[in-house]
């Protein structure tokens, strides 16, 4: 559920007409709903009610400072995958004890930043990383709390680019080698083993792969404890999917997911961490764009809009579907038109949808891409020298720009000429 609904044929973000935001900030832009963000966080938090837990928002899905602040104020921890994200979390006021550091390629500088600023745990993904982290921690005279990310070799049955838990994926260490790797970690004085981490992929629409992975983690917990390791925390990753098309069957609810977690781990006396990103931020955002031209092709109509693949890359990168709706619905019931919806970037890949049936629109009309909050703004670039589009946060009847659109001057000011030019 989200808070982008029609009232008298006009699309609203909570209590603000989307067209009013467009008039104020220009198009294209992203708009996020505070109520949806906090509602989705609460769904996870409530789903784990009764067991010791922390919901860490996967910041890579949406990392604007205002969004981090909204979720942190609601009680969320943060899952970060880079020094930049760690820095953002701290700048938004998140305590180090609520920040988890994930990712396969943590650098010495990133490790140092987190060890100095405070960290809940590092999710270590390889033996070489473990050795480096041990050295960095020792050089700072601290001990780094760690889990080891295990790769359970289960098929998440999701898009290949976002599957992370099969043995051919680059993530984690094979679960079959876990005991060996934990034995090595236990010998490194700069590290303190506290648990196990697993994350099998993103946009999972079925609980079965989670269940398969979590059963393996439960079994491993018992084995590692028998080997003498302290396993007091399990980080179960993120990955729960969202319905990108309203017509599709709904993916499992956070409550079902929470029930699975409780069922699997309740008796183990462990603290549970989860790292949802998309399910918190995905449906909390729209990308709003304006129609520039309707162009008649030989056998199709192109809707050319002012948003492009550099602003929202998911369709080009993952063949992702986004529902696309008019911001002002047609007054009378009209037969749908069929469009290829494309952006202005000079690539055929700059196509948002092919043969999409929707209410007929004309030049200057506004359209909205639903479910664009996650992996939208964060993956944007300035390809074709199109300035990053603004982000807007709505809260009830108020809205604020939370990242302004750079001017052309600001965009090029980051380039500098070498002295010989
Ligand atoms: C991407 C990622 C997540 C979040 O995935 P979602 O599908 O957005 O929930 C969580 N944990 C790790 C380690 C990730 O890489």
């Amino acid at each position: 559920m989200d808070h982008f609904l029609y009232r008298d044929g006009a699309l609203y973000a909570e209590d603000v007409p989307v067209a009013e935001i467009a008039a104020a900030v220009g198009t294209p832009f992203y708009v996020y709903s505070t109520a949806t963000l906090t509602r989705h966080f609460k769904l996870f938090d409530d789903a784990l009610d009764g067991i010791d837990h922390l919901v860490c928002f996967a910041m890579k899905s949406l990392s604007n400072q205002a969004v981090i602040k909204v979720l942190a104020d609601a009680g969320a921890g943060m899952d970060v995958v880079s020094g930049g994200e760690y820095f953002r979390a701290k700048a938004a006021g998140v305590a180090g004890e609520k920040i988890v550091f994930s990712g396969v390629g943590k650098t010495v500088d990133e490790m140092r930043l987190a060890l100095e600023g405070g960290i809940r745990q590092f999710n270590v993904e390889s033996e070489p990383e473990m050795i480096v982290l041990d050295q960095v921690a020792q050089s700072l005279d601290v001990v780094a709390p760690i889990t080891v990310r295990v790769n359970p070799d289960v098929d998440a049955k999701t898009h290949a680019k976002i599957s992370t838990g099969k043995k051919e994926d680059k993530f984690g260490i094979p679960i079959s080698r876990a005991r060996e790797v934990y034995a090595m970690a236990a010998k490194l004085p700069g590290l303190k083993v506290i648990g196990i981490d697993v994350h099998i992929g993103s946009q999972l629409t079925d609980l079965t792969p989670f269940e398969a992975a979590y059963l393996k983690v439960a079994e491993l917990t018992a084995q590692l404890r028998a080997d003498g390791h302290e396993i007091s925390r399990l980080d179960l990753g993120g990955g729960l999917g969202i319905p990108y098309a309203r017509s599709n069957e709904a993916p499992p609810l956070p409550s079902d997911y929470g029930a699975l977690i409780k069922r699997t781990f309740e008796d183990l006396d462990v603290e549970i961490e989860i790292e949802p990103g998309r399910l918190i931020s995905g449906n909390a955002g729209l990308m709003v764009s304006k129609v520039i031209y309707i162009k008649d092709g030989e056998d199709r109509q192109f809707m050319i809009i002012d948003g492009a693949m550099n602003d929202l890359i998911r369709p080009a990168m993952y063949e992702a579907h986004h529902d696309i709706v008019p911001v002002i619905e047609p007054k009378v019931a009209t037969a749908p038109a069929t469009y290829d919806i494309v952006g202005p970037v000079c690539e055929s890949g700059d196509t948002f949808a092919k043969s999409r049936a929707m209410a007929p629109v004309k030049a200057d009309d506004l359209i909205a891409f639903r479910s664009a909050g996650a992996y939208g703004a964060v993956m944007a670039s300035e390809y074709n020298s199109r300035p990053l589009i603004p982000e807007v946060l709505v809260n009830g009847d108020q809205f604020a720009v939370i990242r302004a659109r750079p001017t052309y001057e600001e965009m090029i000011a980051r380039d500098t000429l070498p002295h010989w030019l």
Side-chain angles (χ1 to χ4, degrees), residues 122-124 130 146-150 173 181-182 185 195-198:
F122 291 91
N123 293 332
V124 173
M130 201 176 265
I146 67 155
T147 71
V148 176
R149 177 168 176 180
V150 295
I173 55 127
V181 175
Y182 273 85
I196 307 171
D197 171 48
V198 70

Side-chain angles (χ1 to χ4, degrees), residues 335-348:
T338 303
Y339 300 106
D340 280 14
I341 303 174
V342 302
V345 161
C346 304
E347 299 220 16
S348 298

Side-chain angles (χ1 to χ4, degrees), residues 309 312-313 315-317 343 345-352:
M309 64 188 288
L312 176 64
I313 205 173
M317 185 150 161
V345 161
C346 304
E347 299 220 16
S348 298
D350 189 17
T351 298
F352 290 113

